[in-house]
Amino acid sequence: MRKALASIACLTLGILLVVPLSAQEASPVKEVPPKLADKTVNTDILPSGTVKVLLLKSWGETSIWQAMSTNWQNFGKKPVTVDTTTYIDSDFTYQNLVSSKANVIVMSDPAGGIKQYTPAEIAAVAKYAKKGHTVIGTYAVFQWSTVDNRGLAPVFGFSSKITYNTTAVAISNQFTKTKAKACLLKGITGSSWQSDGYAFTQVPATGSWTGHLGKATAVAESDKFLGVVSFYTAPTYTGVFVSNFPEYNGGTDDEQLLYNAVTCYVK
């Protein structure tokens, strides 16, 4: 009897250990890092040359995007201000993007946050990009579960016709530089770095970005191209994609990478 009870207890403990992991398959549990005490930035007195960043429909606020408006000077000379609230949970139009006067638009794990972009929103992103505005995407942008945002893939130089992973794919988060002199990697020392962000990746269903980068160029990869950091140089803008989730509790190198993504390609 005691053996039977012990077996049941072990089985129960095993279930308790497994459930939280499966619950985090798509994206981190919505335990958003604490907001800064005062992250409000007065946009009427922004320093000259400030790069305005706007988060569109995304998983949610994360530590790095929250902090960048106030600690940008730790990573470079260009001031940065980030709007993490206006459209992060809201639908938007092309005119909304124009009115925002954002230099950079960001899609932070939208599919992983179960945020479906409409055809009109995908067209708005593409049109705004073509007007000379940097676009940044991180982690599960294109597909996750039943969310299909593959129409956004061409903005980053990728194909919208292939399938991307819709279940969890973990990576080591150890990124090796493939183009060490790329602006995206400025300030990140050594030939590789360990990301402290959420250690999962968006990847083509084949299990590798090899052969699926399309018009984009990889500047770093993880686990034999299971993870990738890439940029796409279009005629009028640059699209940056980071396949893991560096802004979620990321470290210094993660913030440097995202600061570079924000500032390197502003027209």
Side-chain angles (χ1 to χ4, degrees):
M1 180 67 176
R2 288 180 179 178
K3 288 183 179 181
L5 289 174
S7 298
I8 292 172
C10 290
L11 178 59
T12 302
L13 177 59
I15 292 173
L16 290 174
L17 290 174
V18 169
V19 169
L21 292 177
S22 61
Q24 294 186 50
E25 276 187 349
S27 290
V29 173
K30 277 287 182 104
E31 295 176 356
V32 181
K35 292 179 182 293
L36 301 179
D38 182 7
K39 66 185 183 67
T40 302
V41 176
N42 187 342
T43 57
D44 294 330
I45 56 173
L46 291 176
S48 176
T50 296
V51 178
K52 296 183 68 175
V53 181
L54 176 66
L55 264 69
L56 300 181
K57 293 165 71 172
S58 296
W59 172 84
E61 290 186 87
T62 54
S63 55
I64 285 180
W65 292 125
Q66 287 177 6
M68 194 175 293
S69 292
T70 55
N71 69 356
W72 57 264
Q73 64 276 1
N74 295 331
F75 303 97
K77 295 181 179 180
K78 291 184 180 180
V80 173
T81 181
V82 185
D83 180 344
T84 62
T85 58
T86 305
Y87 296 113
I88 198 166
D89 287 313
S90 303
D91 295 341
F92 62 90
T93 66
Y94 174 70
Q95 189 55 50
N96 291 145
L97 300 183
V98 173
S99 298
S100 75
K101 298 182 180 179
N103 304 106
V104 179
I105 53 177
V106 175
M107 289 161 279
S108 174
D109 186 28
I114 316 300
K115 301 291 177 63
Q116 178 70 57
Y117 278 60
T118 67
E121 288 172 331
I122 291 171
V125 168
K127 184 176 180 179
Y128 196 67
K130 289 177 181 178
K131 293 294 183 179
H133 303 99
T134 303
V135 181
I136 299 172
T138 61
Y139 190 32
V141 175
F142 313 119
Q143 275 186 289
W144 199 273
S145 184
T146 59
V147 178
D148 188 345
N149 290 332
R150 283 180 292 175
L152 292 168
V155 176
F156 301 94
F158 308 139
S159 173
S160 61
K161 297 180 180 179
I162 66 172
T163 299
Y164 297 86
N165 64 298
T166 57
T167 55
V169 177
I171 55 174
S172 69
N173 257 4
Q174 181 74 30
F175 283 84
T176 300
K177 297 177 180 179
T178 57
K179 287 190 176 296
K181 295 183 179 180
C183 185
L184 274 172
L185 304 181
K186 184 169 59 176
I188 301 176
T189 60
S191 60
S192 65
W193 76 92
Q194 180 68 43
S195 170
D196 293 321
Y198 197 62
F200 289 83
T201 184
Q202 178 94 104
V203 65
T206 59
S208 173
W209 281 98
T210 301
H212 295 294
L213 286 168
K215 298 177 181 179
T217 300
V219 301
E221 62 84 20
S222 180
D223 303 349
K224 297 182 180 180
F225 282 89
L226 192 60
V228 71
V229 177
S230 69
F231 70 96
Y232 165 50
T233 304
T236 56
Y237 77 95
T238 299
V240 177
F241 179 69
V242 185
S243 73
N244 76 328
F245 203 9
E247 61 266 53
Y248 185 82
N249 290 338
T252 301
D253 285 339
D254 295 299
E255 188 158 5
Q256 182 69 67
L257 175 67
L258 293 173
Y259 175 86
N260 293 343
V262 164
T263 59
C264 278
Y265 309 109
V266 172
K267 303 294 184 182

